[in-house]
Amino acid sequence: PARFLGADSLGSVAAGKDVSRRCGERLIPASIEMGGNDGAIVLDDCDLDRTIAGLTHWKLHNVGQSCGAIEVAFVDRRIADVVVERLASAWRRLRVGDAPAGETDISPLSTPRQLALGEAHVEDARKKGAKIVCGGKRTGAGLFYEPTILDHCTDAMDVVRDETFGPVLAVVRVDGAAEAIRHINAGHYGLTASIWTRDHARAQRLAEQIDVGVVTINNHSVTGAMAALPWSGTKDTGPGVANSALALGLFLRPKTILLDRNDGPELYWLPYDRTLWELGNLLADAQMMRLGGAWKIPFLIKRRLDTVRAFFAR
């Protein structure tokens, strides 16, 4: 793979574009997903108990190493203090480290490079004014990193703009849904997003405004495990579609076989004459509901068929 793509572009937007270009040169169909930077919109009327639990799971499952993991929480500032405090209280009680199955919550990062990226994002955010609410450092063993909440984040920070792919949640305080949607739509990824609110009708209206492939209300990215539903994205996430019948079209080549049982010539076949020209104009007029000359059509059809038969008769 390094020889094909170039070592610097593995697992990135650059890699996906490289694969797409090379496949295009060979006319090979390719369905490509190039990651995401998922946002969760937390509105002031959300069910806090479910929202805190949902944000925790969809940020930290698989240590955040999922294309559909929540990367940024856009929280209505009217409830931001409560949301951040309750998240931190829960996250501090999560078990981090090497332990038997079922006895730990947070596993290690997959590679030293991924761990270093998370550390760099946290440090960049801290320098630019974010507050480290909990976590923010290695455990000291292996590739384990404490689940980390960064509050008061902004678009100027790498942790907001780019995919961290680790146990780090950026919290951006917003003045309602419209501001949150502007943040998400301004990003260069468009995989999934979620809206956390009790007002389901409003949430469905808001979902239409978010430029991503999947929007989940009061849950997040769970449709990735639903084979009947398409999993897709926009912008730098790429044009690929996984799951559902819609994913099959890219890899299918339709083939048409038509058997014509007519034993006579077609009226539009050669030789051409004035009758065919007049018939064509009348048929075009009929499609536009100009029916003044439509009564002539049956007679012109017969005349045309007689003409073609006579031309090819022995």
Side-chain angles (χ1 to χ4, degrees), residues 119 122-123 132 134-138 145-150 167-168:
E119 289 182 312
V122 171
E123 180 61 15
I132 300 176
C134 66
K137 61 183 185 297
R138 302 187 185 204
Y145 194 81
E146 294 179 352
T148 301
I149 298 171
L150 301 173
V168 178

Side-chain angles (χ1 to χ4, degrees), residues 72-90:
V72 185
F74 297 97
V75 184
D76 190 304
R77 67 178 70 254
R78 287 170 289 192
I79 62 168
D81 287 343
V82 174
V83 169
V84 170
E85 187 278 326
R86 289 195 56 179
L87 280 172
S89 174

